[in-house]
């Protein structure tokens, strides 16, 4: 039984609902959005096995969504749908990062075959990624991305380095001096609060709106990243 998660980005409700109904009946998990901006946001903030992406969308085009994803190291397989079937149009789709291209009108059986082929290909040819997880926090050290509950969190380079260091040392108290040496490559100056400031930046981004809380202060000693209360 198919349990893959599919995102459909299609502004024609009849087409979107037709595809969704058929995929639902095959036990896929299907989500639909009807414009380019919403499609782009869902594509990069949630996890899907395949994205079925129309080219002509209100807001931004399917080409732009696909390029936006690839520029951010999001390699979710994309099946482009379009009424434009020329070679140049197909090349534009592939150049933007699409994995396959289906011209409207199409037979539903063909769409399903394409979707299943993309899922199988992604399972066989996984791009190497170094992913560290703790609870519902996921850090991809190759793509330099951070997620909690499938929500993409944007960090500065220094914030990412600090979080990565804390995660790689999860369960261990890290002193301010150690953080200073490894992240800023300087000796700790007791007259500055830069480390506390950056830890607070991280807390606001990865802890404030999520549970469980992960970054904890150990008074007089430093910080520790772990599940559980302070």
């Amino acid at each position: 039984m198919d349990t893959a998660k599919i995102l459909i980005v299609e502004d024609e409700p009849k087409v979107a609902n037709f595809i969704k109904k058929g995929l639902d009946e095959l036990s896929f998990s299907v989500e639909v959005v009807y414009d380019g901006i919403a499609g782009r946001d869902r594509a990069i903030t949630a996890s899907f096995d395949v994205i079925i992406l129309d080219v002509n969308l209100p807001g931004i085009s399917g080409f732009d969504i696909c390029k936006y994803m690839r520029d951010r190291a999001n390699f979710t397989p994309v099946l482009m749908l379009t009424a434009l079937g020329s070679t140049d149009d197909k090349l534009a789709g592939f150049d933007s990062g699409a994995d396959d291209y289906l011209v409207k009108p199409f037979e539903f059986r063909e769409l399903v075959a394409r979707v299943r082929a993309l899922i199988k290909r992604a399972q066989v040819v996984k791009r190497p990624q170094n992913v560290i997880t703790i609870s519902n926090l996921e850090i991809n050290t190759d793509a330099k991305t951070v997620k909690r509950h499938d929500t993409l969190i944007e960090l500065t380079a220094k914030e990412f380095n600090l979080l990565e260091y804390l995660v790689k040392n999860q369960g261990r108290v890290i002193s301010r001096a150690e953080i200073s040496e490894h992240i800023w490559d300087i000796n700790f100056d007791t007259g500055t609060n830069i480390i506390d400031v950056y830890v607070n930046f991280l807390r606001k981004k990865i802890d404030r709106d999520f549970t469980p809380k992960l970054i904890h202060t150990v008074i007089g000693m430093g910080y520790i990243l772990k599940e559980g209360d302070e």
Side-chain angles (χ1 to χ4, degrees), residues 141-195:
T141 58
D142 288 343
K144 305 298 182 186
T145 57
V146 176
K147 292 181 180 180
R148 283 202 77 172
H149 286 302
D150 287 330
T151 299
L152 189 66
I153 299 171
E154 293 192 7
L155 300 180
T156 65
K158 194 63 71 177
E159 289 168 351
F160 183 90
N161 292 341
L162 175 57
L163 178 61
E164 181 181 13
Y165 187 69
L166 290 172
V167 169
K168 286 183 175 179
N169 289 277
Q170 59 184 276
R172 184 170 76 87
V173 177
I174 310 296
S175 69
R176 289 172 175 81
E178 189 175 346
I179 292 172
S180 177
E181 180 182 349
H182 283 85
I183 305 304
W184 276 268
D185 196 26
I186 58 174
N187 293 325
F188 180 63
D189 179 0
T190 55
T192 180
N193 66 344
I194 187 171
I195 295 168

Side-chain angles (χ1 to χ4, degrees), residues 36-93:
I37 294 173
R40 178 198 63 192
D41 293 345
R42 288 302 291 159
I44 64 170
T45 58
S47 177
F48 297 96
D49 294 288
V50 171
I51 297 175
I52 300 173
L53 182 59
D54 188 39
V55 169
N56 294 314
L57 294 165
I60 57 176
S61 74
F63 293 150
D64 290 336
I65 293 173
C66 195
K67 187 176 185 303
Y68 188 87
M69 291 168 55
R70 302 314 189 220
D71 287 346
R72 283 152 184 79
N74 182 321
F75 299 110
T76 303
V78 170
L79 172 60
M80 285 279 194
L81 299 182
T82 183
L84 307 171
S86 73
T87 300
D88 286 344
D89 294 322
K90 292 180 180 179
L91 288 175

Side-chain angles (χ1 to χ4, degrees), residues 108-126:
F108 181 71
R109 289 182 302 172
E110 183 175 1
L111 180 137
V112 173
R114 302 285 187 96
V115 167
R116 284 178 169 154
L118 289 175
I119 293 171
K120 184 176 181 180
R121 186 191 310 167
Q123 290 171 343
V124 173
V125 188
K126 282 285 186 183

Side-chain angles (χ1 to χ4, degrees), residues 10-24:
E10 168 61 71
D11 66 318
E12 297 181 47
K14 287 185 178 180
V15 175
N17 294 335
F18 165 72
I19 297 172
K20 183 180 188 306
K21 183 174 183 295
L23 293 177
D24 282 341

